[in-house]
Amino acid sequence: MPATDTTTSLRPLGQAAKHASRVLGPMRTPQKNDALLAIADELDDRADDVLAANAQDVEDGRANDLSDALLDRLLLTEQRVARLAQDVRRVAELPDPVGQDLDRRDLDNGMTLIRRRIPIGVLGVIYEARPNVTIDIAALSLKTGNAVILRGGSETLRSNLALVDVIQSALERTDVPRDAVQYIDNPDRALVTELLRMDEYVDMIIPRGGAGLHRLCREQSTIPVITGGIGICHIYVDEDAKLGQAVDIIENAKVQRPSVCNALDTLLVHRAVAPTLLPRVARRLAEHDVELRADEDAFALLKDGPAHVVPAGPDDFDQEWLALVLGIKVVDGLDAAIQHIQTHSTEHSDAILTTNQTHAAQFVDAINSAAVYVNASTRFTDGGEFGLGAEVAVSTQKLHARGPMGLEELTTYKWIGLGDGHVRS
C-alpha cells in the first residue's frame, strides 16, 4: 500500500504534489501515454488484489447498513476492473490538449501573440463511495500534466489504497513521479478542511458527492471549486411523443444504473397522453420493482397497479433518488413542464420526448442544464459516452467547465508574446 503519512498535516503532500506538477507540466505526450498504458497493464495484472480489497470494503459496507445505491457504487467486479483498464487505454489514445495553440495573431506592432493550453497544476479531488473515480481522475490528470491529491470516502479506503498502489507502481516503472497521484489515507475529516485551504499548493478543488460536501467546499475553500455531480434529472413526455419509444427511454434512464447522477428522477407527462402512457410505463417499471411517487393526477391513473405507487410527498420532486424510485407528475403542457424543471432541476441532465420540432427547440432554449436531450435518455451524460475517455466530474456550474469534465476541462492557458526587441511606447 502507498506509504502516505497524513497523521498530522497535508503540507508534505502539497509540497510533493507541487513538485510533481512541475515535472509533469512539460512532459511530452509519449511519456505520459506510456505511464497510462503501464497503469492499465498493472490493473490487469493485479486485479485480484484490487478485488480482494474491494470485497472487504463491501463486506464492511453491508455490516454498516449502507444503502443498495451506495453498495452498487462501491462494488468492483472483474468486468468493472477490466473496463477501468480499458478506459485508461482509451485516455492514452486521445489527443493531448496540452501545448495546443488556441489562438495566434500578429499585432500591428509586429509582435506575435499565442494563447496556448497548459495544465492547471495540482488538483484536489474529494469523492465518496466510487473507487472507479480513483482511476478515472488519475488517468485524466496524468494525461493533462496535472498532479492530483485524492480523498475518497472511508467506506472505500481499502479499495482506493489498492488502486493508488497500482497507479504509483506503474508511475515508478515509467519514470513519472509517484507523487503525481497521492491519496489521503487518514479518514479524519479535519484533513478535508485543511485540503480546502492549501491554496499555496493546490490550484483547483473538485468535490464529487452530495449536497453537504459541495456546500462545505464552497463555504470553506480558499481554492477555486468546480461543483457538480448532483443530478435531479427530468424527462418530459410531450403530447406529440412516440409513446412506445418513450417507454423504452424512460426505462433506460431509470433502471439501467439507478445509483448514478444522470439517472432519471422525475417524469413529467402531458395530460393528453398520461392516461395512455402512464399505465404502460408502470407495467414496464414494475418488472424492475421501481417505486412510483405520483402527484394526485398520476396517482389516480396508477393506483390500481401493477407498479407500487404512493402519493408524492412535498419534497419528492426535489430528490436525487439514486435508487429504484421515480417521481411522476402530470402537467398541462410544455410551459408547465419547463416551469417545473426550472424550479426543481439541479441543471444536470434533462430531456424532452417529442416529434414536435418547435416544442423541442423551445425546450432546448429554455432549459439551461449542463446537458439537454431530445428523444434520448439522460444516461448519456458521461465522459466516456461523450467521447472524452472518462470524466473527473460532471460540472453543473457555469464558469470554466460545464457537463462532463474531460481532458480540455483540466487545462487552462497562457499568453505567449514573441517579439524582436519590442518595447511599449
Side-chain angles (χ1 to χ4, degrees):
M1 298 296 176
T4 305
D5 181 10
T6 57
T7 55
T8 55
S9 172
L10 298 184
R11 187 176 179 85
L13 272 73
Q15 292 172 330
K18 180 63 74 174
H19 175 75
S21 73
R22 290 169 178 159
V23 176
L24 283 171
M27 192 171 287
R28 300 299 182 189
T29 303
Q31 187 176 0
K32 292 188 288 186
N33 287 343
D34 286 346
L36 292 174
L37 295 175
I39 291 172
D41 290 343
E42 193 87 2
L43 268 174
D44 286 336
D45 294 341
R46 297 176 55 188
D48 289 345
D49 295 339
V50 172
L51 291 172
N54 182 252
Q56 291 181 290
D57 283 336
V58 171
E59 183 180 349
D60 286 351
R62 290 198 179 100
N64 292 326
D65 295 324
L66 290 186
S67 68
D68 289 342
L70 282 176
L71 286 172
D72 179 63
R73 289 185 170 206
L74 170 58
L75 178 66
L76 291 175
T77 63
E78 288 185 15
Q79 184 180 20
R80 288 184 181 182
V81 174
R83 192 180 304 130
L84 285 176
Q86 182 181 359
D87 288 344
V88 175
R89 293 187 177 99
R90 190 176 297 119
V91 172
E93 294 170 356
L94 292 172
D96 185 351
V98 176
Q100 291 178 358
D101 288 347
L102 301 173
D103 187 21
R104 186 184 184 100
R105 66 185 71 174
D106 294 323
L107 304 182
D108 292 341
N109 63 7
M111 179 181 287
T112 298
L113 268 184
I114 300 171
R115 188 159 58 100
R116 181 170 296 167
R117 286 193 188 277
I118 61 171
I120 289 173
V122 177
L123 311 177
V125 184
I126 308 165
Y127 53 108
E128 301 169 352
R130 294 185 67 176
N132 63 294
V133 172
T134 302
I135 295 296
D136 288 346
I137 292 174
L140 292 171
S141 299
L142 291 166
K143 180 78 175 195
T144 50
N146 292 293
V148 62
I149 298 174
L150 302 167
R151 204 282 190 177
S154 58
E155 69 281 353
T156 58
L157 181 60
R158 296 185 187 92
S159 304
N160 285 333
L161 289 177
L163 289 168
V164 172
D165 194 38
V166 164
I167 294 166
Q168 292 182 333
S169 296
L171 295 183
E172 288 182 330
R173 289 196 289 109
T174 52
D175 295 325
V176 176
R178 66 179 279 127
D179 291 332
V181 178
Q182 298 181 85
Y183 190 84
I184 301 173
D185 58 5
N186 188 326
D188 186 351
R189 293 193 175 187
L191 294 174
V192 172
T193 302
E194 183 180 355
L195 176 63
L196 296 177
R197 297 176 179 176
M198 285 174 50
D199 51 87
E200 183 179 357
Y201 305 112
V202 180
D203 299 289
M204 179 184 289
I205 294 291
I206 304 173
R208 292 187 56 157
L213 173 61
H214 288 200
R215 184 168 54 252
L216 172 70
C217 291
R218 288 194 299 267
E219 293 175 352
Q220 298 291 327
S221 181
T222 60
I223 305 164
V225 177
I226 294 280
T227 58
I230 299 175
I232 299 177
C233 301
H234 301 77
I235 288 179
Y236 165 58
V237 183
D238 193 34
E239 61 182 326
D240 297 317
K242 297 178 181 179
L243 299 189
Q245 185 183 83
V247 174
D248 292 338
I249 291 173
I250 293 163
E251 177 188 31
N252 176 263
K254 181 67 257 181
V255 308
Q256 195 261 344
R257 194 172 181 191
S259 64
V260 294
C261 59
N262 56 22
L264 178 62
D265 297 291
T266 299
L267 174 64
L268 306 173
V269 180
H270 193 290
R271 189 173 302 279
V273 298
T276 303
L277 177 68
L278 285 181
R280 295 175 64 179
V281 169
R283 285 194 294 271
R284 184 71 65 86
L285 296 185
E287 298 173 5
H288 305 281
D289 296 323
V290 177
E291 177 183 302
L292 306 180
R293 304 284 182 94
D295 78 337
E296 183 176 355
D297 292 332
F299 185 81
L301 295 169
L302 297 171
K303 62 182 179 180
D304 295 327
H308 175 53
V309 57
V310 297
D315 299 322
D316 281 349
F317 294 115
D318 294 302
Q319 296 298 321
E320 181 188 31
W321 295 112
L322 302 175
L324 290 172
V325 182
L326 177 64
I328 300 181
K329 181 178 178 66
V330 176
V331 295
D332 289 329
L334 177 63
D335 290 342
I338 289 172
Q339 182 177 4
H340 179 97
I341 294 172
Q342 289 175 336
T343 301
H344 299 277
S345 175
T346 55
E347 298 190 341
H348 189 294
S349 302
D350 298 296
I352 182 173
L353 310 185
T354 186
T355 59
N356 186 316
Q357 295 306 308
T358 300
H359 286 184
Q362 286 180 250
F363 186 90
V364 169
D365 288 343
I367 300 303
N368 194 23
S369 297
V372 182
Y373 297 95
V374 178
N375 297 323
S377 169
T378 57
R379 284 284 289 116
F380 286 100
T381 309
D382 175 83
E385 294 293 334
F386 278 20
L388 306 177
E391 69 191 35
V392 169
V394 177
S395 171
T396 54
Q397 63 183 42
K398 296 181 174 67
L399 296 180
H400 171 62
R402 204 145 197 249
M405 293 178 60
L407 296 175
E408 291 184 0
E409 288 73 27
L410 294 185
T411 65
T412 183
Y413 60 82
K414 63 182 174 185
W415 291 96
I416 302 168
L418 305 178
D420 184 14
H422 282 73
V423 296
R424 182 171 175 175
S425 59

